[in-house]
Amino acid sequence: MDFIHKRRFSFLNNDCDRMLKKCIALNNLQEGRRIHAYLIKTGLSICVFLANRLVETYAKCDNLLDARNMFDQMPMRNIFSWNTIIAGYFKRGIIDHARQLFEKMPERDGVSWNTMIAGYDRLGYFHEALNCYWEMMAEGIAPSPITFATVLSSCAKLPATKQGKQVHARAIGAKCESDVFVGVSLVDMYAKGGFIEDARQVFDRMPGRNVVSWNAMMTGYGENGCGEEALRLFYEMQQVGMKPDHVTIITVLSSCSKCGKVKDARKVFDQTPQRNASSWNAMIAGYVQNGHGEQAVQLFSQMLREDVRSDETTFASVVTACASLAALQQGKQVHGLVFRSGFESSVFVGSALVDLYSKCGSTEDAQQVFEDMPERNLVSWNAMITGYAQNGMGIVAIQLFEEMLQAGIVPNHVTYVSVLSACSHAGLMDEGLRYFNFMSEKHHIVPSASHYTCMIDLLGRAGRLHEAEKLVNNAMWVQLNQTLQCGLHCLVPVGFMGIWSWENVPVSAYLK
């Protein structure tokens, strides 16, 4: 009878384990609870293996409370039990509890450390991920390819190339450099740190390159302004028989566009047999970024004719294109499509619409869109403040800026350029000086050439030329020199033309 009971118990556990795995795959919490209730009802003791699966089911189905209860009720636990509940806390973003449990573990294995490192990396705690890796090394735990790939990801995101190189050396020593995931992470780490040649060396040494490897290298070229190399690699990829995926297409389109090679990007786009919405978005965005608003609008029209569904990225780019062309009527038509498509609540589209109407001089429409936005971010506030400032409504711009501060939104350098410009055009001398000081003292923003230009303009308009010249002498002349040499003569402040000449600049200004 004992033998039959054990066999029945074994079959029951196996069946339940298979069903719980299905619950995890389908995110079916309700069915998982039914299985748990059935096990309790049968009166059979739940083995550690099945208890672990229940903890995993609850944790992965976002019921951390029941996962923790199950974990606490277990009379016996193994390393898998601890790793599972720690992963559950990381999944919910509860880092402190995860670390506390990790510290309480009677013993740890490589998976335990990987769980911690991956959890930190996923939640953006990259320094903590690195520290955890070095703790792991100090305890003598051998890292796996997963360990190296994850910690290199953190190095890339910081970026921390110096530490990344140390990790790379250890990966070579552990014979893990040839792992495709480690290789991709190394390419990404070096590229994000600006060491594109090192990234290429890693890429060339990879014994088995997949489409992700090629995409990583192309992305690296794009991020480092090497559009030609990205394009060359794209064609090389096809020559060796590797088929591009939709990520490849988006990557090469973006890389070419960032480097101003819009014609090359369009050639790739036209040669792509199956284009999804992301491909269209990348090409439209490329036109917008390079000042080709008309082509962006034309491509959007083609996208509509081919019945490709637009998303918020599409609309935000097309509205920006209309704004660059000051094409109010076209912009209104796109606004209508936005409304009919259900994206009127998108913060990205809303911000672009505010910018469109402002640049077309329709501040009332801009204000209406801004007020109707259910959610606003810094870009939204900046767009509306800039709109008021550009349309001669400096006082209103300042009022909105104060409202923004009261709402707890922290301004950035763009905000202050608009605010200072508004003060200048509205003749608000005292306010401008106050905000200029407030910018660095309160928000720790180092004044740029644009901020100094606004202040010089403000002082020049008020006829306070001596103070303006004094401010110039303390400004960052290198940045101002670069700005003026770009041919943007419109930046020379009104009222300051008489004293703004390189002959009048004291030599000491260059030495400060």
Side-chain angles (χ1 to χ4, degrees):
M1 288 295 293
D2 287 342
F3 174 75
I4 294 173
H5 179 78
K6 287 179 180 178
R7 290 275 293 178
R8 177 172 172 268
F9 181 71
S10 176
F11 282 128
L12 178 65
N13 280 348
N14 289 337
D15 288 341
C16 288
D17 181 56
R18 282 194 296 271
M19 288 188 288
L20 287 171
K21 282 182 178 178
K22 287 183 179 178
C23 292
I24 293 170
L26 299 172
N27 196 32
N28 192 337
L29 176 62
Q30 188 175 1
E31 189 62 28
R33 279 177 167 163
R34 285 201 188 103
I35 296 168
H36 190 184
Y38 172 77
L39 287 168
I40 295 172
K41 187 177 180 180
T42 59
L44 296 172
S45 60
I46 301 175
C47 65
V48 175
F49 174 77
L50 204 55
N52 285 341
R53 190 69 72 197
L54 283 166
V55 173
E56 184 183 14
T57 302
Y58 285 128
K60 290 188 175 178
C61 291
D62 287 326
N63 191 327
L64 191 56
L65 180 62
D66 284 344
R68 182 59 190 264
N69 287 338
M70 186 70 215
F71 175 82
D72 290 339
Q73 291 169 14
M74 292 174 67
M76 291 181 61
R77 306 185 188 108
N78 57 20
I79 292 181
F80 186 87
S81 316
W82 289 88
N83 291 345
T84 303
I85 192 65
I86 288 170
Y89 275 109
F90 270 119
K91 188 174 187 291
R92 293 292 298 273
I94 308 175
I95 295 172
D96 291 343
H97 283 63
R99 183 72 200 197
Q100 288 169 9
L101 283 167
F102 180 75
E103 296 292 347
K104 291 179 181 177
M105 288 183 75
E107 59 177 326
R108 304 165 185 153
D109 61 4
V111 177
S112 312
W113 289 96
N114 286 347
T115 301
M116 291 296 295
I117 294 168
Y120 281 134
D121 178 73
R122 186 178 64 82
L123 294 172
Y125 289 80
F126 308 125
H127 286 292
E128 287 78 1
L130 271 169
N131 291 338
C132 199
Y133 166 78
W134 293 120
E135 287 179 42
M136 178 183 182
M137 294 296 98
E139 289 204 8
I141 306 295
S144 66
I146 293 175
T147 316
F148 287 123
T150 307
V151 76
L152 285 167
S153 171
S154 291
C155 290
K157 291 164 187 169
L158 281 169
T161 312
K162 185 177 180 180
Q163 292 196 61
K165 287 182 177 180
Q166 295 173 357
V167 176
H168 186 185
R170 288 181 178 264
I172 293 172
K175 296 181 170 33
C176 291
E177 187 193 28
S178 59
D179 180 87
V180 66
F181 298 107
V182 175
V184 169
S185 297
L186 282 167
V187 168
D188 185 48
M189 185 270 294
Y190 281 119
K192 281 188 167 59
F195 295 87
I196 194 65
E197 291 183 2
D198 291 322
R200 184 58 193 254
Q201 287 176 10
V202 171
F203 177 79
D204 288 339
R205 286 199 303 267
M206 292 174 71
R209 295 184 294 225
N210 59 14
V211 68
V212 178
S213 316
W214 290 86
N215 291 347
M217 192 65 243
M218 275 183 269
T219 300
Y221 277 134
E223 289 173 345
N224 286 273
C226 306
E228 287 186 9
E229 287 81 355
L231 188 61
R232 193 178 298 119
L233 193 65
F234 172 68
Y235 289 121
E236 181 185 332
M237 171 187 186
Q238 296 172 80
Q239 287 171 1
V240 299
M242 183 66 65
K243 186 178 180 181
D245 61 8
H246 70 280
V247 176
T248 315
I249 301 301
I250 296 166
T251 300
V252 73
L253 291 176
S254 300
S255 298
C256 289
S257 298
K258 284 178 182 177
C259 302
K261 298 188 174 297
V262 187
K263 288 183 179 179
D264 290 324
R266 183 58 189 261
K267 184 179 178 182
V268 171
F269 178 81
D270 289 337
Q271 291 174 347
T272 303
Q274 294 181 333
R275 300 184 292 240
N276 60 12
S278 298
S279 307
W280 289 86
N281 289 345
M283 192 65 245
I284 292 171
Y287 277 134
V288 174
Q289 290 164 9
N290 286 275
H292 301 295
E294 191 171 341
Q295 287 91 328
V297 174
Q298 289 173 356
L299 190 60
F300 173 65
S301 298
Q302 183 183 338
M303 182 180 181
L304 294 178
R305 288 194 300 271
E306 295 191 18
D307 201 27
V308 180
R309 182 177 172 78
S310 304
D311 57 21
E312 63 178 350
T313 304
T314 320
F315 286 122
S317 294
V318 176
V319 170
T320 302
C322 293
S324 69
L325 298 169
L328 181 58
Q329 291 307 313
Q330 283 181 305
K332 285 186 174 182
Q333 291 173 7
V334 176
H335 191 175
L337 287 172
V338 168
F339 187 80
R340 290 193 292 275
S341 302
F343 290 105
E344 69 276 6
S345 61
S346 165
V347 66
F348 305 108
V349 178
S351 300
L353 284 167
V354 170
D355 183 56
L356 163 73
Y357 287 123
S358 296
K359 284 181 176 173
C360 292
S362 184
T363 52
E364 289 184 5
D365 288 327
Q367 182 178 333
Q368 188 63 57
V369 171
F370 181 77
E371 291 177 351
D372 290 344
M373 291 176 70
E375 177 190 356
R376 301 170 190 152
N377 61 12
L378 179 58
V379 176
S380 317
W381 289 91
N382 283 352
M384 194 66 251
I385 293 169
T386 302
Y388 284 137
Q390 289 175 343
N391 285 278
M393 303 172 68
I395 294 176
V396 182
I398 299 306
Q399 290 173 346
L400 187 64
F401 175 65
E402 291 292 344
E403 185 181 331
M404 170 184 161
L405 294 177
Q406 291 174 6
I409 307 295
V410 179
N412 63 4
H413 68 284
V414 175
T415 320
Y416 274 107
V417 170
S418 298
V419 168
L420 295 175
S421 177
C423 291
S424 175
H425 287 85
L428 302 173
M429 172 63 62
D430 294 337
E431 288 81 354
L433 291 170
R434 180 167 62 87
Y435 287 132
F436 185 73
N437 293 325
F438 194 68
M439 175 178 68
S440 55
E441 293 174 1
K442 175 67 176 178
H443 294 116
H444 311 293
I445 297 173
V446 178
S448 68
S450 298
H451 299 117
Y452 279 115
T453 300
C454 289
M455 288 306 298
I456 295 165
D457 192 20
L458 176 66
L459 293 166
R461 285 173 183 270
R464 296 165 65 168
L465 303 185
H466 178 70
E467 293 173 73
E469 187 174 17
K470 184 178 178 181
L471 182 62
V472 167
N473 289 337
N474 292 312
M476 295 181 289
W477 273 100
V478 174
Q479 287 181 284
L480 283 170
N481 189 23
Q482 290 174 345
T483 303
L484 291 172
Q485 286 184 344
C486 287
L488 302 180
H489 303 297
C490 58
L491 291 177
V492 178
V494 175
F496 193 55
M497 294 295 292
I499 64 170
W500 190 287
S501 65
W502 298 113
E503 290 77 15
N504 290 336
V505 177
V507 175
S508 60
Y510 291 95
L511 305 177
K512 291 184 178 181

